[in-house]
DNA sequence: CTGAATCCTAAAGGATACTG
DNA sequence: CAGTATCCTTTAGGATTCAG
């Protein structure tokens, strides 16, 4: 195992290597957004624009506050999401995509389009939801 | 090929819903290829064509045989990868993408392109991000 | 060479309750 | 509102060994 590949993004540098000494953009991208909820969160921020915490939780649907909080923190560390406190009393926070995060749009939309084209909505094909 | 119906039965249990009753293609796509090694494996199969097990393990680099085996099995169950035994003595197996798997090319390439553009190879620059 | 079988640890994800 | 704090279960991933 090449130990340079070991979660070095936490150290700040993103070193993901593949065969030989070749650096792999797919692996690296995957390590950034390859968490369960990351693509969805980014998708919602792309479509809905800046959102508050609960607003986002509703939009993602099914995610617990703890996981959403953890995910957002992770995305923030990766400079993909920006967190802004816009009011102290009551506390009000706004999450938005950074330019870096917004640049992921083609990736997220590629996933969306592929899903639409190749993964039929079960409610529209044959098997209705139980 | 009219495998849409058949495939939706295979993935029919894959009910990923988002806000309200809305089905979410991003979430669903993410649940298919959102594993650590899946995008890389698919990428290698796209670029190298049908490959043997060790060939693939070398191409992915850093993956253990167990994880590669598990990943391939998972991809097979999802009808993205095809496994073919092409020789019995000695055992020789060939993994390739199904049509369904190959259709993911735009997604994988979007990830690759984004990585190339927004995540510089650390060996070539010190500031991959803004 | 093809992997499968074990065993193990760390991390992710989730349920629930609570707080300023 | 926007989270924390616990506690818990599940899963991913890896090391090693074994076998056809």
């Amino acid at each position: 195992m090449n130990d340079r590949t070991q979660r070095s993004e936490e150290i700040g540098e993103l070193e993901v290597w593949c065969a030989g000494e070749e650096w792999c953009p797919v692996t690296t991208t995957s390590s950034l957004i390859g968490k369960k909820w990351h693509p969805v969160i980014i998708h919602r921020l792309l479509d809905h624009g800046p959102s508050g915490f609960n607003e986002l939780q509703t939009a993602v649907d099914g995610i617990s506050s703890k996981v959403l909080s953890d995910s957002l923190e992770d995305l923030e560390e990766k400079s993909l999401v920006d967190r802004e406190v816009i009011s102290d009393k009551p506390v009000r926070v706004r999450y938005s995509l950074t330019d870096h995060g917004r640049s992921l749009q083609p990736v997220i939309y590629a996933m969306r389009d592929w899903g639409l084209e190749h993964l039929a909505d079960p409610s529209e094909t044959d098997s209705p939801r139980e």
Side-chain angles (χ1 to χ4, degrees), chain A residues 4-5 8-9 14-18 22-25 27-28 31:
Chain A
R4 280 189 302 185
T5 62
S8 45
E9 67 265 23
L14 206 51
E15 298 175 8
V16 183
W17 303 83
C18 292
E22 202 177 351
W23 172 79
C24 174
T27 307
T28 311
S31 76

Side-chain angles (χ1 to χ4, degrees), chain A residues 45 49-51 80-84 94-98 102:
Chain A
L45 288 174
S51 311
L80 296 172
V81 160
D82 187 44
R83 180 183 186 271
E84 216 182 333
R94 189 176 60 178
Y95 292 95
S96 57
L97 292 171
T98 62
R102 201 167 10 253

Side-chain angles (χ1 to χ4, degrees), chain A residues 1-7 17:
Chain A
M1 171 86 180
N2 187 343
D3 53 2
R4 280 189 302 185
T5 62
Q6 289 191 343
R7 308 199 56 78
W17 303 83

